[in-house]
Amino acid sequence: MIILDLHIEEELRNTHKDLAGNAKLHSPERLDAAYNTFRDRFGPDKLALLDGTALLNAMHLHGNKESLVYWLEFKDDEEFPGISFGSIAGGSAHKFGLFRRRETGQWVTGAPQAERTLTESEAVVVARKHRDQLLEGVKRLERFEANADDAAYVRLQRDLDTSCPDVSGVAWGHKYFSILFPDKLDDYQNHRWQRYHLLRLLQLPPEAQGLYVCAGRYVTLANQFGWPMQHLTATLNARNGRPKRYWRIGTALGGKERIWDDMLRGQYIAIGWGGLRDLSEHGKGAELKSALRKMLEPYYPGDQKTISRKAGEIRNFVSEISVEENDIVVAADGGKVLGIGRVTGPYRYEDTPPKGAPHRRAVEWLSTEEWKLPVPEGLRTTVAVFKKDEQNILEIERRLLTPLMVTSPGPKNGGGGGGGEGTLRLTGIPARVQAILERKGQAILYGPPGTGKTHWGRETAHDFAALRAFGTTFTELVAEQKTEVVGSSAVPGLVRSCTFHPNYGYEDFLEGFRPAANSSGQLIFNPKDGIFKRMCADARRRPERSFVLLIDEINRGDIPRIFGELLTLLESDKRGLTVSLPVSGEEFAVPPNVYVIGTMNTADRSIALLDTALRRRFGFVELLPDMTVFGGASVDGRIPLGPWLGALNDRIRAQLGRDGRNLQIGHAYLLEKKEPVSELSNFVRILSEDIIPLIEEYCYEDYDALAKIIGGKLVDIPKQRIKEELFAPTRWDELVQALLEPTPDISTGKEAAATVTMPDEVEDGEPEDEEK
């Protein structure tokens, strides 16, 4: 029997009652029917009868919705609610040890970094080995006694590791066994989830490691509550959420100045290295750590080992501590814990007292009771994740169950506040635009939404003006030169911008009358120059400089009305020719050092519909979704961004006909600060707020087409609605499964074979002096 804290037991019973009352739990009869359905199709008796190609396809043909691997990863319907038995969705197809690549039809085995292509006969050998090991594992589980203790489950772990090593330690193998033996195994397919939920129950997991050592605890708990195993794990998921990390944060600068009172008062955590400026512009992950290594050279001259360690700590503070996962931070002074909090905000740079600790994260302090860590860990490291001894995490959870808050320190006296043309050529897309500008004088970047048109237009404009003025690209300029290019509140720059819309007119662009009051207070209309006329005047005064006008969404304006007689003057061989303007009567010409870059969203309007005169005078650069920007990036290690977006756009083109090419989803939707989205919470927000509403608009309330594009599990066709309940954090596993279901053979290209993919373990600094 497992003794639970009475408060925890009451919470579990209430949570279970709520889930049942809201029809979020399958009845025991429904669960038994699903188990029997699975056994009838893939039980040991059925697999034993198969061999050759039939065995290979029945087990490992992922594109076949009747295969074992498909049922284990994606099947979730009335026939078999597979997600209820633990998700293994996401990650790489390599996790199954064998898969057929959709693009080539070849069978592949091995890790992503060491793939090996197999003939069909060789693939059959692998499938046969997997089948035989599954059958051997079933035999051993059939002989295993029910209601066994921890020691017996440790022996089971060793037994399975020896008898069926290729399937027992991976998520899909464990799920197979857990479906056949729900009275002996839990349905968590990842050991981190197993141990996390025990710790949230204030139970120290067994010391041994593996997917089977914790199962006895869950079997005992299910029996104590009188619930099916699936009810128990669903209840724990609802109460505890996804696994989080627990971080130790030092509170001493250089081992001397203590900043805990400031952190408590300001509701934040902070680290030193005050000489490092704002780190938010240096990316995250490996990119940030690489930049930090260079920045830390003056702190630890020649000591590359320490530099690497400290760069890892700072990187963890800036980008790895997760708000979305409700990560917990422990403010500590040596082995003494001063406070426990939940991180609530991203990294920020705030150069206010304490001056030596400008790098900060917002925190909600949950407990300020002082106590000692049971096991010393990371005592001389500024930022460290607790992972060496679970007794520390257990004690943190114990303190959070009944948190104690002491009075926050009062404000400090005198405290600070709060919170000539260059020879260089451009490359890539800017090079294409540069060539058009030099040939025609004006270019339009066009393509589906989210393909980076405005980004590339602005970057090209900045670099083009910088090259011609200073002989180098914009990023290489000094501050004064950059100001000349982009301008200031007092003086416009070489690059200027405007956005066209249906109400934008000739008077905004070139010249027109604007209402004003004279000295007597009477309403009069004065002529006023528009943005293009003012820029042309500046260009005539400074012929040694090149001026660029960026017109965003150029196709949303009435082009003939806005440009008027300018369409003729824009042509390169007519620069310098003059016309008499109808409003002011002035003679006007477009100088040769004026250039125009426009952007056009083809989801709003096809390029074929543009005014013919405009098309003749502009050059065009098409931008389409670019999956290469993602590399091997994935969301939470579960959704491979490039393959997923590529497959989504394939379905858009297939379903939306001749317009499909112009209605694809651009890669920029899945970039944040030029980096691929990696956190599931951010991806879900983008999906629900940007991508799905856009596709809904494309489909014009055709929910059958919508389901074929985004996946049938995301659309309730009879009720004509998106299943928005899947966007709730507690349903994200189902959401991932729904997103991957239309193309089950896409792969992250990252190692995911051991278990269902979880966030990578972060680096932890070795014992070292507190930050300097």
Side-chain angles (χ1 to χ4, degrees), residues 39 53 75 82 128 152 298 581 661 743:
R39 181 177 283 272
T53 302
K75 182 76 167 174
R128 191 179 292 137
L581 296 178
R661 190 170 188 271
T743 47

Side-chain angles (χ1 to χ4, degrees), residues 47 50-52 55-56 59-60 68 96-98 109-110 116 118 120-138 160 162-168 170 172-173 176-177:
L47 294 184
L50 299 175
D51 202 7
L55 172 66
L56 179 62
M59 288 192 62
H60 285 289
L68 173 61
F96 293 103
L98 179 66
T109 190
R116 186 163 62 91
L118 303 179
E120 183 172 295
S121 59
E122 290 173 327
V124 168
V125 172
V126 176
R128 191 179 292 137
K129 178 178 68 173
H130 288 173
R131 186 270 313 277
D132 292 345
Q133 290 191 17
L134 289 176
L135 299 187
E136 187 62 35
V138 167
L160 295 176
T162 302
S163 61
C164 42
D166 297 300
V167 298
S168 67
V170 292
W172 72 272
Y176 179 83
F177 292 142

Side-chain angles (χ1 to χ4, degrees), residues 414-683:
E421 180 179 348
T423 58
L424 290 177
R425 301 294 299 178
L426 303 180
T427 60
I429 292 170
R432 296 165 61 191
V433 181
Q434 180 184 19
I436 293 174
L437 293 179
E438 292 172 346
R439 179 168 58 91
K440 285 197 162 192
Q442 40 276 337
I444 287 180
L445 298 166
Y446 72 100
T451 48
K453 300 177 290 296
T454 302
H455 163 76
W456 287 116
R458 182 176 293 109
E459 183 168 310
T460 303
H462 289 167
D463 282 344
F464 185 81
L467 275 177
R468 292 186 162 227
F470 306 109
T472 189
T473 57
F474 181 75
T475 57
E476 300 299 318
L477 301 181
V478 299
E480 293 80 3
Q481 294 170 330
K482 287 183 177 180
T483 300
E484 182 176 343
V485 171
V486 301
S488 65
S489 58
V491 181
L494 301 176
V495 176
R496 305 175 195 183
S497 63
C498 63
T499 301
F500 281 6
H501 51 78
N503 292 325
Y504 200 89
Y506 181 89
E507 61 275 15
D508 301 296
F509 195 64
L510 198 61
E511 65 174 10
F513 287 106
R514 285 287 183 263
N518 62 15
S519 58
S520 302
Q522 295 177 313
L523 180 66
I524 60 172
F525 288 87
N526 291 328
K528 184 176 182 180
D529 294 340
I531 185 172
F532 189 73
K533 185 180 179 183
R534 294 195 301 272
M535 189 174 77
C536 288
D538 291 342
R540 280 191 292 273
R541 286 192 289 269
R542 303 183 66 190
E544 79 285 0
R545 293 288 190 255
S546 294
F547 289 74
V548 184
L549 178 64
L550 178 63
I551 305 175
D552 211 11
E553 303 193 39
I554 191 171
N555 56 307
R556 294 190 64 230
D558 186 339
I559 302 297
R561 184 171 71 87
I562 295 173
F563 277 86
E565 60 275 5
L566 285 183
L567 281 178
T568 297
L569 301 182
L570 283 174
E571 292 187 54
S572 58
D573 61 348
K574 295 182 174 61
R575 296 292 181 96
L577 294 181
T578 61
V579 296
S580 180
L581 296 178
V583 175
S584 64
E586 297 176 6
E587 293 296 309
F588 178 78
V590 178
N593 59 329
V594 169
Y595 301 86
V596 178
I597 299 175
T599 70
M600 172 178 166
N601 189 340
T602 54
D604 297 330
R605 190 178 185 186
S606 168
I607 189 174
L609 299 177
L610 281 182
D611 183 83
T612 303
L614 180 77
R615 282 192 285 143
R616 188 170 68 248
R617 290 168 172 84
F618 279 73
F620 291 83
V621 176
E622 184 179 31
L623 299 182
L624 291 173
D626 181 9
M627 311 318 158
T628 64
V629 302
F630 300 118
S634 65
V635 177
D636 199 28
R638 307 169 73 184
I639 301 174
L641 284 175
W644 179 81
L645 184 59
L648 177 66
N649 283 327
D650 288 344
R651 298 194 294 275
I652 288 175
R653 293 193 303 274
Q655 293 298 319
L656 301 183
R658 60 183 298 177
D659 292 329
R661 190 170 188 271
N662 293 329
L663 301 178
Q664 298 178 88
I665 304 299
H667 51 274
Y669 280 103
L670 299 175
L671 299 177
E672 292 186 332
K673 295 183 179 179
K674 301 183 181 181
E675 290 294 323
V677 173
S678 60
E679 294 188 359
L680 187 55
S681 58
N682 292 346
F683 177 80

Side-chain angles (χ1 to χ4, degrees), residues 111-414:
Q113 300 82 5
E115 286 186 351
R116 186 163 62 91
T117 302
L118 303 179
T119 64
E120 183 172 295
S121 59
E122 290 173 327
V124 168
V125 172
V126 176
R128 191 179 292 137
K129 178 178 68 173
H130 288 173
R131 186 270 313 277
D132 292 345
Q133 290 191 17
L134 289 176
L135 299 187
E136 187 62 35
V138 167
K139 290 178 182 178
R140 292 168 190 266
L141 282 162
E142 286 176 337
R143 296 195 298 264
F144 187 73
E145 62 186 68
N147 303 315
D149 59 13
D150 283 352
Y153 275 96
V154 170
R155 291 193 295 271
L156 174 66
Q157 177 75 52
R158 294 170 183 165
D159 191 13
L160 295 176
D161 287 346
T162 302
S163 61
C164 42
D166 297 300
V167 298
S168 67
V170 292
W172 72 272
H174 183 269
K175 185 168 184 177
Y176 179 83
F177 292 142
S178 67
I179 292 172
L180 295 180
F181 300 96
D183 59 331
K184 296 180 180 180
L185 298 176
D186 62 87
D187 54 28
Y188 288 124
Q189 318 306 340
N190 182 283
H191 68 93
R192 185 179 173 212
W193 285 69
Q194 293 168 333
R195 305 183 80 84
Y196 166 75
H197 285 293
L198 288 180
L199 288 167
R200 289 299 309 275
L201 298 178
L202 304 187
Q203 303 295 313
L204 190 66
E207 185 175 350
Q209 298 290 319
L211 278 169
Y212 302 89
V213 297
C214 295
R217 305 285 188 91
Y218 290 102
V219 171
T220 300
L221 284 169
N223 290 337
Q224 283 182 207
F225 282 104
W227 300 337
M229 179 60 71
Q230 191 275 332
H231 284 204
L232 173 66
T233 53
T235 301
L236 291 174
N237 290 340
R239 175 190 182 262
N240 301 335
R242 295 166 56 85
K244 59 173 68 78
R245 292 193 180 109
Y246 303 78
W247 301 83
R248 180 194 178 277
I249 306 295
T251 57
L253 301 181
K256 298 177 182 178
E257 182 185 356
R258 264 55 183 175
I259 60 172
W260 164 239
D261 285 350
D262 298 277
M263 290 164 57
L264 178 58
R265 182 185 303 106
Q267 293 287 296
Y268 60 75
I269 51 174
I271 58 174
W273 292 283
L276 303 182
R277 306 302 293 174
D278 191 345
L279 301 174
S280 58
E281 298 181 357
H282 294 281
K284 55 186 176 181
E287 179 187 2
L288 174 57
K289 187 173 181 180
S290 177
L292 284 166
R293 284 195 184 102
K294 297 177 183 178
M295 299 181 205
L296 290 174
E297 283 283 357
Y299 288 84
Y300 315 100
D303 189 350
Q304 293 302 315
K305 185 176 180 181
T306 299
I307 288 173
S308 181
R309 263 200 318 268
K310 295 304 179 183
E313 290 181 41
I314 302 172
R315 183 275 316 273
N316 290 345
F317 182 88
V318 172
S319 67
E320 299 303 316
I321 299 177
S322 173
V323 176
E324 290 76 14
E325 299 292 346
N326 291 310
D327 278 6
I328 296 296
V329 292
V330 175
D333 186 355
K336 182 171 66 175
V337 172
L338 304 174
I340 307 173
R342 180 184 296 110
V343 180
T344 59
Y347 165 83
R348 70 178 191 264
Y349 180 85
E350 193 171 283
D351 194 13
T352 58
K355 283 290 187 179
H359 310 287
R360 300 175 187 177
R361 301 284 301 267
V363 167
E364 175 191 4
W365 292 111
L366 305 173
S367 170
T368 53
E369 179 185 9
E370 292 189 6
W371 51 279
K372 287 282 188 179
L373 288 170
V375 180
E377 183 174 354
L379 300 188
R380 296 172 64 82
T381 303
T382 306
V383 182
V385 63
F386 285 105
K387 62 181 180 180
K388 295 178 181 177
D389 199 301
E390 289 168 323
Q391 291 185 60
N392 288 330
I393 297 176
L394 186 71
E395 189 59 30
I396 293 170
E397 285 294 337
R398 193 189 314 280
R399 303 280 175 169
L400 288 176
L401 186 64
T402 54
L404 174 64
M405 289 296 295
V406 298
T407 304
S408 176
K412 281 186 176 180
N413 293 329

